[in-house]
Amino acid sequence: MPTSPDLTRPSDAPDAQPLAPYDAVLLLSFGGPDGPDDVMPFLRNVTAGKNIPDARLEQVAEHYHHFGGASPINGQNKALLAALRAELDARGVGTPLVWGNRNWAPFTLDALTEAYAAGARRVLAVVTSAYSSYSGCRQYREDLWKALDGLAAQVAGPGADHPLQVDKIRAYFNHPGFAEAAADAVADAFAQLPQDGDGARLVFVTHSIPTTMDEASAVSGASYTDQHRDVATVVAATAGERLGRTLDWDLAFCSRSGPPNQPWLEPDVNDHLRALDAAGTRAVVLAPIGFVSDHMEVVYDLDTEALATAAELGMTAVRADTVGVRAPFVSGLVDLLLERAAHERDRSAGQLPEAGPVVGDLPAWSEICRPGCCLQRAGAPSGVPAACSADPLS
């Protein structure tokens, strides 16, 4: 399925060379249903191979039907695609831009097929996940490999070599653009509270994952939890400076989906709100630090469930925006594209690339995933190859 031509490349496209050696950019996302008839097929795609019965999927489907059967993520991906196109054009970068999803149309294979047909042979991917973990990194890279296999089969037959190469920008949770946009959103949310939220507590929220996956993510340099805590410290401090006070904060989780006997990261945001209420907190700002746009986990788990919990407790609650298409975030993504391209040119010239800018205490993430990175369990490769890695099978 092709993306919109006006987003792919404008008719008066400027020079593409700033992104050389890359000749296309891929926005790679999770995907979501566009209407009620899409919901169950989409959920089957998401849970493929996990033997989850339809009865359980029907329960999750109600979250989507609560919003007419459509996820907000597709519209927000289109908005991000347009914002990236505008920022690239403003900088004189005419590299074509395509969009693909793991779980719904346009699929990753659709996007790579479109890029290949337009002449691309080396593609640079932006994943709509800021953090390094199995679900936030490796699953996308596995999907890329599968799509490259599919493209190879279309071009030259099953088992053929991949006809194009896909690389990705580094995990960007600690890039200044992401942190600045998140801090802006937090400050704006506090401004919506009486007296600018004096006395309110800041609760950062992200998607829960199994504790084994969190432990395995540490191979990348720091665990999924520690990545969040590192950037949350920066965002809280930056937003506090703008508000003229110190913001006390916590990290909570949402969207647990595993069996009851499997440990997942806690506390759940609703349980945490109850604990804050018991401790005397009367107002909170919920900041979805783990999401770049308003996924279903944001509009249902936070806007619907968590805000309802706060209301039941008589607690004032405001949900901060996701970074979405805020200017610092979009500009930061383009900075990362240019950074990765420059690093590839350095490597080709036999030079060691300089590390890119970061905030917080953690270093810039590796652009090429190291062996054993982002597995579901540490030291337990799945046998499923993943792109953008020093060792696709490790």
Side-chain angles (χ1 to χ4, degrees):
M1 172 180 283
T3 54
S4 301
D6 59 324
L7 297 178
T8 301
R9 187 168 185 174
S11 58
D12 57 346
D15 184 13
Q17 292 307 308
L19 279 185
Y22 300 105
D23 41 28
V25 172
L26 167 67
L27 180 65
L28 180 58
S29 193
F30 191 83
D34 292 308
D37 293 341
D38 299 338
V39 174
M40 285 299 290
F42 161 76
L43 291 174
R44 293 187 187 108
N45 287 342
V46 173
T47 60
K50 297 181 180 179
N51 298 316
I52 298 177
D54 273 4
R56 170 59 184 144
L57 296 183
E58 291 284 2
Q59 296 176 13
V60 179
E62 288 306 311
H63 297 182
Y64 290 89
H65 292 308
H66 183 79
F67 296 94
S71 171
I73 191 173
N74 291 333
Q76 294 190 14
N77 277 330
K78 291 176 183 176
L80 179 56
L81 198 69
L84 286 170
R85 179 73 273 159
E87 181 69 14
L88 287 165
D89 291 347
R91 300 199 199 186
V93 182
T95 306
L97 176 62
V98 294
W99 165 39
N101 296 317
R102 273 172 42 195
N103 299 297
W104 202 248
F107 290 100
T108 310
L109 177 56
D110 299 327
L112 294 184
T113 299
E114 178 186 357
Y116 182 81
R121 296 298 179 267
R122 194 161 183 187
V123 176
L124 184 54
V126 175
V127 177
T128 58
S129 171
Y131 300 87
S132 181
S133 70
Y134 176 75
S135 58
C137 177
R138 188 179 177 96
Q139 266 194 301
Y140 286 97
R141 296 189 294 109
E142 290 177 351
D143 183 64
L144 274 172
W145 191 277
K146 180 181 176 182
L148 288 166
D149 280 348
L151 180 61
Q154 290 178 10
V155 171
D161 291 340
H162 293 166
L164 57 75
Q165 178 180 335
V166 181
D167 297 327
K168 64 183 284 291
I169 63 172
R170 60 181 164 102
Y172 50 81
F173 68 92
N174 61 347
H175 187 272
F178 178 79
E180 183 180 348
D184 288 344
V186 168
D188 289 347
F190 269 89
Q192 297 177 45
L193 291 168
Q195 300 179 336
D196 289 341
D198 189 24
R201 195 165 187 90
L202 174 57
V203 180
F204 291 107
V205 187
T206 190
H207 202 303
S208 184
I209 60 174
T211 56
T212 51
M213 190 184 295
D214 184 57
E215 293 161 3
S217 67
V219 172
S220 65
S223 71
Y224 174 81
T225 301
D226 287 341
Q227 294 166 44
H228 281 80
R229 291 193 177 281
D230 187 61
V231 70
T233 299
V234 174
V235 170
T238 303
E241 289 174 4
R242 294 172 187 175
L243 294 166
R245 63 178 184 276
T246 299
L247 300 180
D248 295 322
W249 63 272
D250 310 295
L251 178 64
F253 302 89
C254 67
S255 308
R256 179 203 163 101
S257 60
N261 62 342
Q262 182 183 40
W264 280 53
L265 295 176
E266 296 177 338
D268 173 78
V269 61
N270 296 285
D271 294 337
H272 188 61
L273 289 175
R274 295 183 184 99
L276 288 177
D277 175 66
T281 298
R282 305 313 312 144
V284 295
V285 166
L286 300 173
I289 193 74
F291 307 92
V292 302
S293 64
D294 290 5
H295 302 184
M296 185 57 64
E297 291 87 347
V298 175
V299 298
Y300 187 84
D301 293 23
L302 297 187
D303 293 353
T304 304
E305 289 192 328
L307 291 184
T309 296
E312 291 169 6
L313 297 168
M315 182 183 290
T316 301
V318 172
R319 197 266 284 177
D321 292 341
T322 48
V323 292
V325 292
R326 285 177 178 258
F329 176 56
V330 175
S331 178
L333 290 181
V334 174
D335 289 344
L336 285 160
L337 289 167
L338 293 168
E339 173 188 289
R340 179 62 197 269
H343 287 177
E344 286 304 297
R345 295 194 296 271
D346 288 344
R347 293 184 182 104
S348 295
Q351 300 173 0
L352 184 66
E354 294 185 8
V358 298
V359 296
D361 294 330
L362 295 175
W365 243 235
S366 175
E367 297 166 328
I368 303 171
C369 293
R370 64 193 70 182
C373 176
C374 294
L375 298 170
Q376 293 193 63
R377 290 177 176 272
S382 65
V384 179
C388 313
S389 174
D391 180 0
L393 284 172
S394 71

